[in-house]
Amino acid sequence: MIKTIVLFLFSVSVCINLNAAENEVISYSALKYKIDFDKQDSQLKDSLNQEYSRVKKIALILESNIMKNDIDLEVAKNVATVDIWTNKFIQNYKPTDVELKELYKLEKPRVVAKYELRNILVAYEENADRIINMLNSTQNKKETFIKYVRSVSNDVASKQNNGLTELVDENKLNPQIKEALKAKKEGDIVKINLKDIGTQIILIEKYIPEKDATFDEAKEALENLAKRKALTKEIELLLK
């Protein structure tokens, strides 16, 4: 009977150790390779197990001997501890609708202005000035602009789409372009000299002005803000 109990306890202990080791390999796979260990085939699982076992063995040897009392190791462990906890806290924190609506009232979020632009890129400013004069003298500015895109533009990427770029937030524009577009409207043409690149001619295809955001438009940003606020509050509690 005693032997049976001992064997049972031993098997439970081995099972717990194996589960703990497997959980470590699962975590190792996610942290190092950004993959789900459980979804890999048996050959890759064996490879990951062997790799992690080797890494863990080396780490234990280094920590107990060569790197014992190493200040960089201590700092790295502290930083990693905070980073891992921070990421898990943010992932697991789920703000309520009440919390989000209060933030919405408090923050008064806005949707930034957006632009849809066509562009022509030429090597010399003189060429750009000639093209702009031609564009301003034509009745169908957009059609003429597209013709110049196809014939002279050096911007290979946008040339494939007749010079048209995707709708973009104002704050994601190149600072020079953002400044040049101030107070301009749809259909206007602006010129920007880009150092070591050339001169860009831009036609404002579409302009969507900045506006107050609806709750649904702002929800994702509000969730991120709520998580950061909750994290700050939690850190303050931990430090008390």
Side-chain angles (χ1 to χ4, degrees):
M1 181 68 177
I2 293 173
K3 184 178 180 181
T4 303
I5 293 172
V6 170
L7 286 173
F8 174 74
L9 290 175
F10 176 75
S11 65
V12 170
S13 174
V14 169
C15 181
I16 290 171
N17 288 335
L18 286 174
N19 286 339
E22 185 177 346
N23 286 335
E24 287 182 37
V25 177
I26 290 171
S27 177
Y28 175 73
S29 305
L31 287 173
K32 184 171 183 182
Y33 295 111
K34 314 297 182 193
I35 60 172
D36 186 338
F37 178 81
D38 292 330
K39 293 181 179 178
Q40 311 311 310
D41 60 38
S42 58
Q43 186 176 356
L44 186 53
K45 283 183 177 180
D46 288 342
S47 177
L48 287 166
N49 269 300
Q50 291 171 20
E51 181 181 329
Y52 177 67
S53 177
R54 181 178 172 83
V55 168
K56 184 174 182 179
K57 185 175 181 180
I58 294 170
L60 289 172
I61 292 169
L62 291 173
E63 192 171 349
S64 60
N65 295 291
I66 300 171
M67 297 189 74
K68 190 175 183 180
N69 300 322
D70 187 288
I71 189 68
D72 291 333
L73 177 61
E74 185 64 25
V75 171
K77 285 164 63 177
N78 291 336
V79 170
T81 299
V82 174
D83 283 348
I84 292 169
W85 172 79
T86 297
N87 290 332
K88 287 188 174 184
F89 181 91
I90 288 175
Q91 287 171 9
N92 294 328
Y93 186 81
K94 306 296 181 188
T96 64
D97 270 354
V98 173
E99 188 178 354
L100 294 177
K101 285 173 182 175
E102 284 299 317
L103 270 178
Y104 178 72
K105 291 177 186 175
L106 182 67
E107 297 294 329
K108 298 179 175 61
R110 294 181 65 78
V111 176
V112 299
K114 298 178 186 294
Y115 287 94
E116 191 175 58
L117 307 169
R118 289 190 191 272
N119 83 94
I120 299 168
L121 180 66
V122 293
Y124 303 104
E125 187 174 4
E126 295 81 2
N127 292 343
D129 290 335
R130 282 196 292 272
I131 292 170
I132 290 170
N133 288 333
M134 289 292 294
L135 289 169
N136 287 330
S137 65
T138 186
Q139 289 186 338
N140 197 329
K141 194 181 293 184
K142 177 178 171 179
E143 186 177 312
T144 307
F145 194 97
I146 291 173
K147 286 180 181 178
Y148 277 112
V149 169
R150 293 171 179 170
S151 60
V152 302
S153 182
N154 295 326
D155 188 339
V156 178
S158 69
K159 194 170 186 174
Q160 305 303 316
N161 197 30
N162 291 329
L164 188 65
T165 60
E166 292 181 356
L167 197 66
V168 61
D169 289 354
E170 181 183 54
N171 56 13
K172 292 181 180 178
L173 290 170
N174 172 296
Q176 263 186 279
I177 295 174
K178 180 180 176 181
E179 183 64 28
L181 293 176
K182 277 185 178 178
K184 301 296 182 181
K185 62 184 186 302
E186 288 182 5
D188 283 352
I189 292 175
V190 297
K191 179 182 74 174
I192 302 109
N193 291 317
L194 302 170
K195 188 179 180 182
D196 300 325
I197 296 176
T199 300
Q200 193 168 30
I201 307 163
I202 292 177
L203 170 67
I204 303 174
E205 180 93 1
K206 183 186 289 184
Y207 171 64
I208 303 174
E210 182 178 342
K211 68 180 183 70
D212 292 333
T214 64
F215 178 74
D216 286 339
E217 287 173 331
K219 192 169 183 179
E220 185 178 347
L222 291 170
E223 286 174 346
N224 291 332
L225 178 59
K227 289 182 176 189
R228 291 198 300 273
K229 284 181 173 289
L231 175 64
T232 300
K233 186 176 180 180
E234 190 68 18
I235 290 172
E236 289 172 352
L237 289 173
L238 290 173
L239 292 175
K240 279 186 177 180

